[in-house]
Each structure stands twice: as C-alpha cells, then as structure tokens.
C-alpha cells in the first residue's frame, strides 16, 4: 500500500527516462507496478483513477524486449505518414501490454539546428514534414470520429493510449541549438515554423500538450499565458490538458527552484493543468494550496485544470477500465511489430553517394570486411531514450538484431565470407584481398542537453577508419547518427554513403537494402551541411549551400536473389 498515493491524492505517476520496475522487467512486472499505483489511487475518497505516463518516443523504449523503432529523424526520411501511423498503433499496443495508457509522444519539434541535442527527436527541419508525421497521433490514439468537435481529445479504447504533443513551442528553434535555451523569432516565424505540428495534432484529437523548457524571445514558455491560454486553449480550441516538462516549473528560474512558489504561480496562471514533479511533491502541494488559499491562483483556474484532466481520463475509459488488460502482454516486442520496425528502417535509409553503382552489394562470391564499432552494437544503433535515458553501449540491454548480425543473415553463406574487425590496421587491410568493406561509424548515444554538440564530428576512430579502410578497399560507409555530421572531408574516399540515423532494434532492415532485397527510397528530412560554420542552415534559406540538400536521396532498384 502506497501511502503517498493515498495521502496526497496523486492523480498521475510517470516513469522518467530509464525508470522501470527492475532490470529486464517483464510486461507482467510492469503491470504489477502500474496496477498497484492504480489500486492505491482507487482507494482514495473519490476513487479517481491515476494516469500513468512514460516516454515511448521510438517504440515503448524504456521497456526491455520492446520493439525499438527508428528515432523520428529517420521516420521523417521515409516521408510515409501511413507507416508512422502504424508505428503509433504498434507502440500503443506495446505500452498497453505493460499496463501503461499515456505516452509522452510524439515530439513535434522542428529542429532548425542539428547542434541541438534533441535533433533526432524531430522528424524534420521542415514544418510540413513534421505536420504530416503527426499521423502518428491517430495510430497512438485511434482515428478521431468525423463528428468530433475540434480540439476535443480522443482515445479509441483499451488498445489505444493518450498521446502528448511536445514541447510547446519553439523547442527546436533555440539559438545555436542549445537545449532548453532561447528561441529568438518573430511571432510570424514562431507560428509558421513551430506551430503547425500542434495545429495538426489537435485536429487529430491529441489528448495532451507538454510545455517546453525553452524560452521565446527571452520569456520562459512555462510562464507564457498568451501562448498557452490565449493561443493553445483559445485560438486552437485545445480541450485536453497541458502538462509541464520534468521539473519544468523549477527550471523557470536560474538557479533552478530559486523562487518556486512564484514559478508555480506563473505556470498555473499561464494555463498549465498538470505539473510534472518527480521529487518534491509535498513542497509543490503545500505551495499550491497556499497560493489558492491566498486567491493568487483563482479557483476558476483550478476548475479548468481539473475539468481537463478528468475529460482526458473519461475519454480514455480509465474509469471503466482502470487496471491493465493482461491479455495484451504478448504484443510487447512481437514478431509483427519487429517486422514493422524493419520496414521502417528500410524506408528511412538515405543513400547519399553511390559511385559506379556500388550498391546494392553482391551477396555471393565476396570476401567482405565489416568494420567500425557501430556495426555490432545494439545500444549504439538505438541511441538515447532506449532502456536508459541516455541510451547505452553493447548488446545486452535489450533484444534486437545488430547490423553485423543482419549482414551475416543476408549474404550467401556458401560463397561469401564476412570478417568483422572493429578497427582494422592498414597492413591487414592490404593483405587480405577483400572484395569490399562495409564501415559502420557514428555518434555515441545521448539524450537532451548531453547531446548538444558544437562541432558535430564523428568521434574517433571513426574518421581515421573511413580514411584507412576506404583508401585500401572499395567501401560503403554507413553512418549511425542522430543528425547530419561532418563528412565532407572524407567523401572523396567513400564509394557508397548511407545515412542510417538511429535505426533501433531491427538492424535487419539495413542489410535488406544494402544487399538489394529492397531499393533505397529515403529522402533527407534535414539539410546536410558542409561545415558547422554554415549553421543554422535550413531549406529555403537565402544562402543555401549544403553538401546534400533537404529532400536528397539516391534510389536503387531491388535486385533478384541471384546477385
Ligand atoms: C524531457 C521530456 C520528457 C520528460 C519526462 C524531460 O526531461 O524534456 O521530453 O517527456 O523529461 O521524462
Ligand atoms: C529522467 C528523465 C528526465 C531527465 C530530466 C532524468 O533523470 O530520467 O526522464 O527527462 O532526468 O533532467
């Protein structure tokens, strides 16, 4: 029995990044934990069910054995909203398999500078691509009935979840891509670049909106009454609830939590309805009570918040079905979902260079060198927000197929030989007589501020390896990264160049396309810069001189099985 739920009438509980009931917890263990919180909530005076939320930002990504889909930057490259809708539906089922009905997704950020540590959470630098990808909302929540009034949240039953469009608004527009920083932009710019994803999500019935840590022209979004109450609830007619980010009110001041009571006052009077307070909930509740007793926060504001939270809970059917449906457990990491993720990986790959039609690669009669730490590292290919908040290295944190496994599964075992050398030396390269090499290099996992990066270089030994391997052997370089990285200096040595983004657990999708079972079809959802001093540089800019422009992507045809 959890006294906190009972004594403080907690209306919502979350798992932060990496927060789970235990290492490798099963769906049943998740259900047990969530149901316990729920039983405690139901045992309170009014018995209002709590709503449990989690960051399932590329699949149900905190949970062991979940299907991990490509991060949003890769999904943007597919230009396939219908695919993304199916991913939403699969993610909803996997979340429900663990008893969780509320997801802090999708991120509808429009990343305008790849130096931003969250660039991979953004579908695109282009507001239109981001808007089209809000189709994921209908996958997560179900298709909103045509009779539904605009702005009213919709959740289509026990296999669907409440979604959250985040981070409102302008999170991807901060100066130099610095996380949680200041977006300096005219109102017109804010509305035309960063707002369309919210309008599109609201039309599709998104249940909640999360406020951004960032500021707009120097004012913290968490205190922006004009944009939260005025624009979101007024102009856009949003009827779901508005939630803060994690310690979002604390971060309204610098240093954090400096004038907390005042931050609560500003945040709630700005129109925020649910407050994410991971630790100091007693202080929050006391301060809030005080502010209401003193009439600094009007009762009408509390009523509005309560009405919105209840509306979402009613819409979700939480009152009818507060506890998990245990018949759904087998959806977690199901074969069907993994096949869907594999399809998404195939469609997300962007072919940037293909000298002498080196790709697709032959499966037969080849001696193939595979090099680079990212070739055989599930953690690296999944990136941040995977099991742990910051992601991790290695193949043990969850279940999936590395790119190396996938290559082995795909080549002809009779006539081809695959050799993996993480970092082969020059002598070895010259002595072995390889037909070609596949070099898989890229960024190391990160999330949020830890991912801010002002140079965007591939960490060593990546660049040196590209140089050594590609000068000695015909080579394909596969870049595993959350954004465009510095590649121009090495391009002259590379025969085939593939941007694989952060593909997730289904590495088989990479080999499917490298070896021609499917053609390349992905298109850059971002501008690929020549050098970082060009940044920020986005499609439509006056001085646009990219290495590869927005929308670029070579195509190949699938080959028959005899190659
Ligand atoms: C992130 C949000 C996330 C929240 C809860 C914050 O740090 O900015 O995107 O939903 O944590 O984990
Ligand atoms: C949590 C994340 C959260 C972050 C914010 C981490 O400890 O696990 O969910 O986004 O803190 O700083």
């Amino acid at each position: 029995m959890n006294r906190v739920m009972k004594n403080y009438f907690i209306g919502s509980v979350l798992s932060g990044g990496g927060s789970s009931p235990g290492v490798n917890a099963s769906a049943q263990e998740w259900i047990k934990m969530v149901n316990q919180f729920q039983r405690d909530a139901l045992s309170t005076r009014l018995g209002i069910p709590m709503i449990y939320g989690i960051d399932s930002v590329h699949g149900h990504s905190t949970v062991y054995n979940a299907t991990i889909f490509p991060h949003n930057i890769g999904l943007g490259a597919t230009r396939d909203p219908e695919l993304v809708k199916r991913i939403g539906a699969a993610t909803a089922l996997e979340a429900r398999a663990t008893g969780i009905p509320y997801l802090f997704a999708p991120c509808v950020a429009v990343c305008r500078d790849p130096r931003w540590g969250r660039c991979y959470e953004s579908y695109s630098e282009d507001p239109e691509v981001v808007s089209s990808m809000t189709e994921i909302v209908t996958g997560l929540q179900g298709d909103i009935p045509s009779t539904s009034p605009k702005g009213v949240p919709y959740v289509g039953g026990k296999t669907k979840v409440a979604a959250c469009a985040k981070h409102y608004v302008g999170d991807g527009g901060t100066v130099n891509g610095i996380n949680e920083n200041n977006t300096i932009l005219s109102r017109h710019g804010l509305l035309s670049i960063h707002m369309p994803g919210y309008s599109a999500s609201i039309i599709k019935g998104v249940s909640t909106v999360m406020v951004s840590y960032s500021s707009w022209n120097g004012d913290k979004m968490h205190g922006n009454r004009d944009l939260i109450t005025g624009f979101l609830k007024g102009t856009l007619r949003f009827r779901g609830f508005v939630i803060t980010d994690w310690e979002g009110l604390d971060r309204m001041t610098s240093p954090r939590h400096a004038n907390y009571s005042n931050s609560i006052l500003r945040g709630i009077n700005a129109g925020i309805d649910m407050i994410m307070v991971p630790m100091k909930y007693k202080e929050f509740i006391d301060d809030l009570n005080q502010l209401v007793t003193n009439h600094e926060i009007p009762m009408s504001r509390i009523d509005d918040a309560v009405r919105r939270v209840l509306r979402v809970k009613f819409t979700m059917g939480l009152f009818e079905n507060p506890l998990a449906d245990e018949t759904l457990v087998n959806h977690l990491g199901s074969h069907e979902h993994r096949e869907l993720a594999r399809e998404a990986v195939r469609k997300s790959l962007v072919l940037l260079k293909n000298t002498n039609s080196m790709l697709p690669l032959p499966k037969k009669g080849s001696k193939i060198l595979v090099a680079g730490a990212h070739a055989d590292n599930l953690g690296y290919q999944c990136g941040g927000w995977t099991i742990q908040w910051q992601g991790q290295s290695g193949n043990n944190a969850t279940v999936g197929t590395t790119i190396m496994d996938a290559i082995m599964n795909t080549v002809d075992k009779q006539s081809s030989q695959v050799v993996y050398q993480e970092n082969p030396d020059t002598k070895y390269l010259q002595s072995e007589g390889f037909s070609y090499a596949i070099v898989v290099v890229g960024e190391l996992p990160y999330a949020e501020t830890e991912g801010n990066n002002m140079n965007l270089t591939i960490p060593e030994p990546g660049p040196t390896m590209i140089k050594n391997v590609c000068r000695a052997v015909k080579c394909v370089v596969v870049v595993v990264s959350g954004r465009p990285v510095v590649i121009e200096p090495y391009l002259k040595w590379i025969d085939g160049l593939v941007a694989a983004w952060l593909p997730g657990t289904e590495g088989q999708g990479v080999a499917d396309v490298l070896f021609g079972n499917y053609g390349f079809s992905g298109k850059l959802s971002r501008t690929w810069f020549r050098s970082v001093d060009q940044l920020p540089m986005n499609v439509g800019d006056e001085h646009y001189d990219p290495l590869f422009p927005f929308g670029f992507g070579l195509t190949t045809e699938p080959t028959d099985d005899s190659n």
Side-chain angles (χ1 to χ4, degrees), residues 361-371 375-376 403-421 428 432 434-438 440 511 515:
L361 300 168
K363 293 176 197 160
K364 289 189 176 163
S366 303
K367 183 169 182 187
I368 306 162
L369 170 69
V370 178
D376 195 27
I403 295 170
M404 179 62 202
D405 296 336
I407 293 169
M408 298 289 274
N409 294 340
T410 309
V411 298
D412 181 66
K413 286 186 188 56
Q414 309 291 308
S415 61
S416 284
Q417 187 195 346
V418 180
V419 180
Y420 178 51
Q421 281 276 311
Y428 176 79
E432 289 294 310
F434 290 112
S435 325
Y436 60 85
I438 303 172
V440 192
F515 292 94

Side-chain angles (χ1 to χ4, degrees), residues 14-17 54-55 57 104-105 118 121 166-167 179-180 210 213 244-246 251 276 385 389 448:
L14 90 148
S15 279
I54 193 166
D55 289 288
V57 294
F104 304 127
R118 309 191 76 156
E121 295 187 60
K166 71 187 188 183
H167 310 81
N179 193 222
E180 305 185 16
M210 187 185 294
Y213 289 129
T244 69
D245 204 332
W246 168 285
R251 297 188 196 185
M276 206 188 282
W385 291 110
W389 178 40
E448 301 190 52

Side-chain angles (χ1 to χ4, degrees), residues 314-366:
F314 286 135
T315 307
M316 296 166 71
L318 260 187
F319 284 83
E320 292 82 358
N321 296 300
L323 297 172
D325 176 351
E326 300 190 28
T327 66
L328 298 173
V329 289
N330 293 125
H331 289 293
L332 185 71
S334 71
H335 178 71
E336 197 188 332
H337 292 170
R338 289 182 186 277
E339 283 300 308
L340 174 61
R342 180 175 168 183
E343 176 188 349
V345 173
R346 289 195 293 261
K347 292 178 171 171
S348 70
L349 302 177
V350 182
L351 181 58
L352 297 171
K353 188 176 179 189
N354 194 16
T355 305
N356 299 326
S357 298
M358 183 185 178
L359 291 148
L361 300 168
K363 293 176 197 160
K364 289 189 176 163
S366 303

Side-chain angles (χ1 to χ4, degrees), residues 183 250 274 290 294 297 342 355 386 407 410 483 520 535:
T183 296
D250 309 65
M274 186 181 278
Q290 202 43 247
N294 298 344
I297 294 176
R342 180 175 168 183
T355 305
T386 309
I407 293 169
T410 309
R483 50 195 158 189
F520 279 93
L535 299 175

